[in-house]
Amino acid sequence: MDQLLANALFVAQTVPPAVTKLFLQKQFVEAKDQCLQALEILRPFALVGPNPLTVDPGSEKSVSQITNAFKLLLLLILRIATETLPDAGGERGRKRQNKGASVIPKEWKMVLDTFNEALIPVEIVAVGILLLIKKKNLHEAKDTVEIHLSAQTDQFYRNVINGVEPDHVNYERVIELYVLHILPSL
């Protein structure tokens, strides 16, 4: 178990910067491949799924690092998917939208399978909503926003009202996507 944790920690420390560099260089295929490989290594230790592994006391800092790297890699997978989707504009795009409106992108499905839908971190929700909008799956995007907002705590909304970061900015980002990009298109 210690060797697996050490390997996961090494991946958490080295892969996200390498994948970020590939993403910025628009080497999306390589970035996605590295993300997927790293996610499989990190998944058992990341405190996000229904059954994370238990580790020895004293390893909490390592598990926290792994969990943060896991979330970052999920964000990158969603961003890569968003960047590599063709725009579905014009009349042809509307026809495709109607045909494929119920198709959930596999990258978003992976996020939903990893988290309880209501507990997805807001940064990941925002990027997932962008992917759903670009994929023209507006009903799924609308449902995602509504589930996410209804699951927030009173403390979250107090933070939003008082301008506490990052809750305030994240809330504004989700609401902006909802009001400007989802609702007008439904």
Side-chain angles (χ1 to χ4, degrees):
M1 176 68 99
D2 289 339
Q3 184 58 38
L4 291 174
L5 179 62
N7 185 42
L9 186 58
F10 177 76
V11 168
Q13 292 170 342
T14 58
V15 173
V19 171
T20 301
K21 182 177 178 181
L22 289 170
F23 176 81
L24 293 173
Q25 294 172 340
K26 299 190 182 305
Q27 296 177 13
F28 299 125
V29 173
E30 296 87 352
K32 184 175 181 180
D33 289 344
Q34 285 190 26
C35 272
L36 291 172
Q37 291 171 0
L39 286 169
E40 287 308 309
I41 293 168
L42 300 179
R43 184 180 311 276
F45 297 99
L47 297 176
V48 294
N51 299 314
L53 292 176
T54 37
V55 293
D56 300 327
S59 299
E60 293 90 1
K61 186 176 180 188
S62 298
V63 171
S64 176
Q65 259 187 302
I66 291 168
T67 301
N68 290 338
F70 187 85
K71 291 176 184 177
L72 176 61
L73 291 171
L74 282 175
L75 278 170
L76 285 167
I77 283 280
L78 292 171
R79 286 288 294 140
I80 290 166
T82 302
E83 291 294 321
T84 56
L85 274 175
D87 284 323
E91 188 61 34
R92 280 176 94 181
R94 279 189 279 287
K95 287 180 185 173
R96 272 190 303 219
Q97 174 184 350
N98 293 335
K99 277 185 183 176
S102 64
V103 176
I104 298 174
K106 65 181 179 249
E107 296 83 3
W108 184 241
K109 177 97 172 80
M110 179 175 40
V111 170
L112 295 176
D113 291 345
T114 300
F115 294 91
N116 171 337
E117 190 167 356
L119 301 176
I120 301 171
V122 69
E123 308 83 27
I124 295 175
V125 168
V127 177
I129 293 166
L130 285 172
L131 174 61
L132 292 167
I133 290 169
K134 188 158 184 182
K135 190 76 172 173
K136 300 295 182 190
N137 193 333
L138 300 173
H139 290 287
E140 179 72 21
K142 178 182 177 285
D143 291 346
T144 299
V145 171
E146 291 173 356
I147 289 168
H148 175 72
L149 292 176
S150 69
Q152 296 307 311
T153 63
D154 290 341
Q155 183 60 47
F156 173 83
Y157 286 108
R158 279 193 288 277
N159 289 346
V160 169
I161 290 168
N162 294 321
V164 175
E165 302 296 334
D167 292 339
H168 180 74
V169 170
N170 291 329
Y171 175 81
E172 284 183 345
R173 184 178 307 142
V174 169
I175 293 299
E176 177 183 336
L177 291 169
Y178 186 67
V179 172
L180 296 179
H181 300 283
I182 298 170
L183 291 180
S185 300
L186 290 176

